[in-house]
Amino acid sequence: MTTTDRLTTAAIEADPELPLIRITRDFRASAAQLFRAHTNPEIYSRWCGPKSLDTRIDHWDARTGGSWAFTTIDRATEEEYSFHGCFHEVREDRLVQTFTFDGWPDGVSLDTMTFEDLGDGWTRMHSTSLLDSFEGRAAMLESGMEVGVNEGYEKLDALLEGGSVGG
């Protein structure tokens, strides 16, 4: 497989039979680097979300049974959006957590992420988000999620390339 065969833009798919979203994305990084990028609050805050937003970590305890909360701030309008959840399982090969947008507290998703070593310094991230309803899934997809995911992962690519995530 060559670099041109890599999924360097997130593939975001809605399951036709379940209120589930699948995200697949390849990174020039090790699984350990991707795990660190998703569990270290200082790193996470530097890449999470669209380019127009800054992320402030309000609480972060990335361990099995821990919890998290962060706020994104729109630099143009100073509008804030808060999110929170619980880490259900934190392992180097698998993260399971809940995700809630505080503006829609009934819309909780259960997110599972795994990392697949593709060789040649590439890792594929597989993520699924299971929501409680098709309406909730539609709301998430229509929220600008695609922009946030892709712009965020572009920022993560730059951090990885610059050596900011460690080896």
Side-chain angles (χ1 to χ4, degrees):
M1 184 175 270
T2 66
T3 302
T4 56
D5 297 321
R6 303 293 182 196
L7 295 170
T8 55
T9 299
I12 301 172
E13 301 170 354
D15 189 293
E17 305 205 10
L18 297 170
L20 184 82
I21 299 170
R22 289 184 183 88
I23 300 174
T24 307
R25 172 70 152 73
D26 297 346
F27 295 89
R28 183 180 293 278
S30 67
Q33 287 175 301
L34 291 180
F35 175 81
R36 191 174 307 113
H38 284 87
T39 58
N40 180 299
E42 290 80 23
I43 297 170
Y44 188 83
S45 67
R46 293 177 60 196
W47 66 263
C48 177
K51 294 175 183 176
S52 62
L53 302 178
D54 290 324
T55 299
R56 178 185 72 229
I57 302 297
D58 300 315
H59 168 75
W60 200 269
D61 183 12
R63 63 178 175 83
T64 298
S67 60
W68 60 270
F70 68 83
T71 302
T72 58
I73 302 102
D74 186 307
R75 285 192 293 281
T77 66
E78 297 186 16
E79 192 167 353
E80 295 188 358
Y81 309 93
S82 296
F83 307 85
H84 73 276
C86 296
F87 289 105
H88 289 265
E89 184 175 28
V90 177
R91 299 188 332 220
E92 289 188 13
D93 63 334
R94 178 178 157 101
L95 295 171
V96 181
Q97 66 187 57
T98 59
F99 181 90
T100 302
F101 168 49
D102 292 344
W104 190 38
D106 293 339
V108 179
S109 68
L110 178 63
D111 300 346
T112 302
M113 181 179 295
T114 59
F115 307 108
E116 174 189 1
D117 183 356
L118 298 176
D120 293 331
W122 286 86
T123 300
R124 178 165 291 166
M125 180 206 72
H126 300 275
S127 179
T128 59
S129 295
L130 179 63
L131 290 97
D132 63 344
S133 68
F134 285 97
E135 295 80 15
R137 182 187 70 187
M140 183 176 276
L141 289 168
E142 294 166 5
S143 71
M145 174 186 166
E146 183 174 355
V147 171
V149 166
N150 281 305
E151 288 186 3
Y153 284 143
E154 287 171 12
K155 292 188 291 184
L156 178 53
D157 284 337
L159 291 175
L160 290 161
E161 187 175 313
S164 297
V165 181

